[in-house]
Amino acid sequence: MSETIDTILEAAEQREASDVFLQEDEIPRLKINEQISVFGDQPLPLAQIAAFWQACGADPQSDVMDRDTGFVSRSRTRYRVSLHRTMGRLGAVLRRIKTKVPSLKSLGAPEWLLTQWGARAHGLILVTGPTGSGKSTTIASLLQWMNENLVRHIVTIEDPVEYQFTSKLCHFTQRQVGRDTSTFAYGLRSALRQAPDVIFVGEIRDYETALTALQASETGHLVVSTMHSERVADTMERYLNLFPAADEKHGVNLLANQLSGVLCQKLVESADGGLHLLVEHVENAGAMRDWIARRELQNIDQYLARGSDPAAVSFLQSTIDALKAKLITEATAMASVSNESELRRAMRGIG
């Protein structure tokens, strides 16, 4: 007998799976600590996946091919859902949304640096990395730190809302794209009329959002957002590439002046079988502003490689530090870097 959607999600919650993969006529799968395993031994029948589509508000018999939505399980756990078709069959990928906001220290993020950026009255903070690297969790932890230490109005624009905040010192206005506002860009423009101190934009992926985020920073707001970029220099390059050629100079000047800093993340397997956060980060100060203004972004990698500034740490240094502390294995370290020979040279000093 095939498992029901309810029992699959109950297992996902008990095992703390990050993702659930459902597909018509395929055995369900769970992703736990970045490892995917099958759940049960029977394929999911069409009737069950079709009923799940309907519960998510989509008609499986219509011409809908893709839809991003949300779902609340029987145990009240919230999921971000991507409904799709694969080779004509119905499918869904569910990302479990955690409700308890962890502390920055428990994440392994650079708490001292993020809180320093977060305490500023204006600027742009970018947290980047691939899907599943913990960007939303890091930002939620930073917003919760503000909630406990600062008096501010925080507006969030997300797709979907992941962490729901209880207002303490801060007042939260949380808006979901598709339900409360039409797009990130429109929600961001509207937020500027809502007397915000801090604006969290779920993702910057188009010119209008990129420009408005910098303009909001320029007019005295702190903006926090994410991008899907892997390195600090890549983040700045990708951001500037969102600007058309005719507006590139304006974008470069705005980014050079308004960017507070960039934190890039990746999650790797820890030595104890869990997950460990590796980071690369830089604060936009001093020569950094000039390099951005002149778009000499190759200088950023060289600066990170020096390792002389605690606010500028490379993924290589973060990996070496984790290896020294025995938080990750050598095999994990090798798999996490783009240049193994560079890592081997750096490892020679590790006893």
Side-chain angles (χ1 to χ4, degrees):
M1 181 179 175
S2 62
E3 304 285 350
T4 67
I5 301 294
D6 284 333
T7 58
I8 295 167
L9 297 186
E10 284 172 7
E13 291 149 24
Q14 290 169 2
R15 302 179 189 186
E16 298 189 352
S18 59
D19 300 274
V20 179
F21 301 91
L22 306 176
Q23 198 172 114
E24 176 189 338
D25 292 333
E26 293 283 347
I27 299 174
R29 285 169 165 77
L30 305 179
K31 190 175 194 179
I32 303 169
N33 288 338
E34 299 301 300
Q35 301 296 316
I36 297 176
S37 59
V38 297
F39 178 71
D41 55 11
Q42 294 295 316
L44 194 67
L46 171 59
Q48 284 200 40
I49 188 71
F52 180 72
W53 269 51
Q54 290 174 327
C56 291
D59 182 358
Q61 295 185 350
S62 70
D63 58 0
V64 171
M65 289 181 283
D66 296 279
R67 175 174 291 185
D68 293 329
T69 184
F71 182 77
V72 180
S73 73
R74 190 164 57 183
S75 63
R76 310 307 299 168
T77 299
R78 297 169 59 242
Y79 289 87
R80 183 171 62 193
V81 182
S82 174
L83 300 175
H84 58 274
R85 296 179 188 267
T86 170
M87 300 301 290
R89 296 179 296 169
L90 301 180
V93 177
L94 293 75
R95 165 62 57 86
R96 185 167 61 91
I97 297 174
K98 299 176 183 177
T99 54
K100 184 179 179 182
V101 183
S103 68
L104 286 169
K105 181 175 287 187
S106 69
L107 294 178
E111 179 184 21
W112 69 274
L113 187 60
L114 283 172
T115 54
Q116 179 179 298
W117 295 346
R120 295 175 181 174
H122 61 87
L124 174 64
I125 301 170
L126 294 175
V127 179
T128 80
T131 300
S133 59
K135 301 184 295 294
S136 296
T137 301
T138 296
I139 290 176
S141 298
L142 177 59
L143 297 183
Q144 184 61 22
W145 174 84
M146 294 180 191
N147 195 20
E148 295 169 353
N149 293 277
L150 305 170
V151 179
R152 291 178 168 181
H153 178 205
I154 301 176
V155 177
T156 76
I157 305 141
E158 303 170 73
D159 183 20
V161 170
E162 297 204 19
Y163 291 91
Q164 290 182 292
F165 294 92
T166 299
S167 296
K168 293 183 179 178
L169 292 180
C170 292
H171 174 64
F172 281 85
T173 299
Q174 294 191 256
R175 311 188 71 203
Q176 183 163 304
V177 173
R179 183 183 66 189
D180 305 312
T181 188
S182 56
T183 65
F184 283 123
Y186 191 84
L188 178 53
R189 288 201 309 274
S190 298
L192 294 174
R193 299 190 292 272
Q194 295 159 12
D197 299 297
V198 180
I199 306 171
F200 166 42
V201 189
E203 185 180 352
I204 292 177
R205 56 189 177 199
D206 57 61
Y207 163 65
E208 188 177 6
T209 310
L211 176 62
T212 309
L214 287 171
Q215 290 174 333
S217 304
E218 189 179 34
T219 54
H221 305 87
L222 182 65
V223 180
V224 186
S225 192
T226 75
M227 294 185 74
H228 286 88
S229 49
E230 295 187 0
R231 304 289 301 271
V232 165
D234 296 340
T235 298
M236 297 181 192
E237 187 68 37
R238 180 167 292 193
Y239 201 105
L240 294 173
N241 285 342
L242 293 172
F243 285 77
D247 204 21
E248 179 187 346
K249 185 175 181 181
H250 181 51
V252 167
N253 288 333
L254 278 174
L255 188 65
N257 289 310
Q258 302 307 322
L259 181 68
S260 290
V262 178
L263 169 69
C264 301
Q265 302 190 168
K266 66 171 76 167
L267 285 170
V268 299
E269 185 177 0
S270 63
D272 62 5
L275 294 173
H276 178 76
L277 182 68
L278 297 177
V279 296
E280 178 170 284
H281 54 77
V282 73
E283 183 169 47
N284 184 26
M288 197 71 58
R289 295 190 187 280
D290 294 333
W291 293 334
I292 298 172
R294 296 195 297 266
R295 206 161 179 173
E296 296 173 353
L297 303 181
Q298 71 279 2
N299 291 334
I300 297 174
D301 284 331
Q302 296 169 11
Y303 185 71
L304 286 168
R306 292 178 201 165
S308 57
D309 181 355
V313 171
S314 67
F315 271 128
L316 178 63
Q317 186 58 55
S318 180
T319 303
I320 289 295
D321 290 344
L323 200 53
K324 283 181 178 178
K326 302 188 186 311
L327 297 173
I328 62 174
T329 65
E330 184 175 327
T332 296
M334 287 296 175
S336 71
V337 297
S338 57
N339 189 329
E340 287 191 16
S341 60
E342 189 177 30
L343 176 62
R344 289 189 187 281
R345 285 196 299 272
M347 284 171 54
R348 286 172 190 160
I350 301 178

